[in-house]
Amino acid sequence: MPRIDPAELSRRLGADVAEVEALGRTGARVDPAAGGVPGQVRAQAARIGFESPVDAAAQSLRHIAELPAGERGSGSPIVPYHAAAGRTVAEGEVVAHSGGRVVFQRVAPVAAGVTVRLEAAVRVTADGDAWLDSFGWPLVETDAPVYAFNGSRAGYLAEAIAGLRGDGPFDQAMLMVFGTALGDDDDTARRKELAGLVAERPGRLAAYVSQAETYAESVRANGPYGACLYRSALESLFENYLGSATFSLVDQEDLDDLDEELREQIPEADALAPEAMPPGTPVQHWWWSLAVRV
């Protein structure tokens, strides 16, 4: 693992903290005794951020890829991440309010026929201080898929190809690849085209596999959703596009390690609600069966 010079690490941290502080999201004050706490929180959406500036920077980096590409910005993730969190508090639906915790969810467009459900959880102390606890994919059980796919497989394939050709986020292209594995219809006309575009980007595919491993390793702390989603996108790519070329681009040992991690970690984590799994997910994607326990 590459080592970072302590002075450089300190400089980066200082820059991140300065960027967070410049947002002006210094927390909000509500009156718990007055009632209508969710409404009070919503009215101050532009002020609510994480209590720790360091945590705010870390959360931005860790969860920015859970946002649609159109909400990520083009530079540092800190500003767009917090803007999206504020928008979720301001516009989202209140799905939970108990024990000093208010949870807002908002459905955002990702691509044609695809949406994502985002969740912002706000902690309200007994003294009335309101801070953002988390933002990204839902942590509260939901009665709807995190990603909803309501388009066609041909459309998802076209989105994936356009994203790769336009140098868009690789993870969003992979999400579209997963979308092509859902449902019964089939469109293979541009299959070779997508496979070729992925093969031209081995570094980005390797980074995606690495992110899947990170999600798998953090299942107990953050839940299994990200690990299952990324593993399914990889399996869809391997089965439906790369075929035997898979192992010229991906190390078999890395995939074996990933699957072993999933088998060990998912049964020890909180279960996913059945609705979190996209309808039509292939039955051979066994990691979802481990995660969705009814």
Side-chain angles (χ1 to χ4, degrees):
M1 180 177 294
R3 300 184 65 181
I4 299 177
D5 179 77
E8 174 63 14
L9 182 61
S10 178
R11 186 196 67 77
R12 291 187 188 181
L13 179 60
D16 287 343
V17 168
E19 188 174 357
V20 170
E21 291 177 342
L23 295 174
R25 292 182 173 271
T26 54
R29 292 282 299 173
V30 302
D31 182 359
V37 170
Q40 293 186 60
V41 170
R42 191 190 300 279
Q44 300 180 74
R47 291 186 54 81
I48 295 176
F50 292 90
E51 188 169 9
S52 162
V54 175
D55 187 35
Q59 294 292 337
S60 301
L61 291 166
R62 188 176 300 141
H63 296 288
I64 189 68
E66 298 172 17
L67 275 58
E71 296 191 21
R72 298 183 195 178
S74 58
S76 165
I78 291 173
V79 170
Y81 177 78
H82 285 80
R87 181 179 175 188
T88 302
V89 172
E91 302 176 5
E93 174 189 4
V94 177
V95 297
H97 174 212
S98 63
R101 182 178 172 86
V102 186
V103 180
F104 302 84
Q105 289 185 357
R106 169 173 66 93
V107 174
V110 175
V114 183
T115 61
V116 63
R117 185 173 295 271
L118 300 172
E119 178 184 283
V122 177
R123 168 174 43 90
V124 180
T125 70
D127 293 332
D129 294 319
W131 297 101
L132 193 63
D133 253 357
S134 63
F135 174 60
W137 290 328
L139 298 176
V140 171
E141 286 195 4
T142 176
D143 60 359
V146 177
Y147 283 99
F149 294 87
N150 298 305
S152 68
R153 294 178 72 177
Y156 303 144
L157 179 55
E159 288 278 0
I161 290 172
L164 291 170
R165 287 200 176 281
D167 203 31
F170 191 82
D171 63 276
Q172 188 157 303
M174 288 294 290
L175 179 69
M176 298 299 107
V177 168
F178 178 36
T180 69
L182 306 175
D184 298 324
D185 61 311
D186 192 16
D187 183 342
T188 61
R190 304 182 71 185
R191 183 173 294 180
K192 290 183 179 179
E193 184 177 2
L194 184 131
L197 289 168
V198 171
E200 292 171 359
R201 294 158 175 79
R204 299 180 76 178
L205 178 58
Y208 191 87
V209 172
S210 178
Q211 182 59 54
E213 293 170 347
T214 298
Y215 278 129
E217 291 165 357
S218 64
V219 158
R220 295 189 194 188
N222 300 315
Y225 184 79
C228 290
L229 179 72
Y230 270 53
R231 185 64 184 88
S232 277
L234 286 168
E235 192 68 13
S236 302
L237 178 69
F238 301 155
E239 285 187 340
N240 300 329
Y241 298 94
L242 296 183
S244 61
T246 294
F247 298 111
S248 65
L249 296 170
V250 179
D251 192 319
Q252 174 72 64
E253 186 174 347
D254 289 342
L255 292 180
D256 290 343
D257 289 346
L258 172 57
D259 287 347
E260 182 178 356
E261 198 76 35
L262 294 174
R263 290 189 179 94
E264 290 180 358
Q265 298 291 337
I266 291 178
E268 301 298 324
D270 292 338
L272 287 178
E275 293 83 2
M277 181 174 67
T281 297
V283 295
Q284 64 267 30
H285 292 201
W286 52 262
W287 35 92
W288 293 99
S289 298
L290 290 181
V292 178
R293 302 189 294 276
V294 294

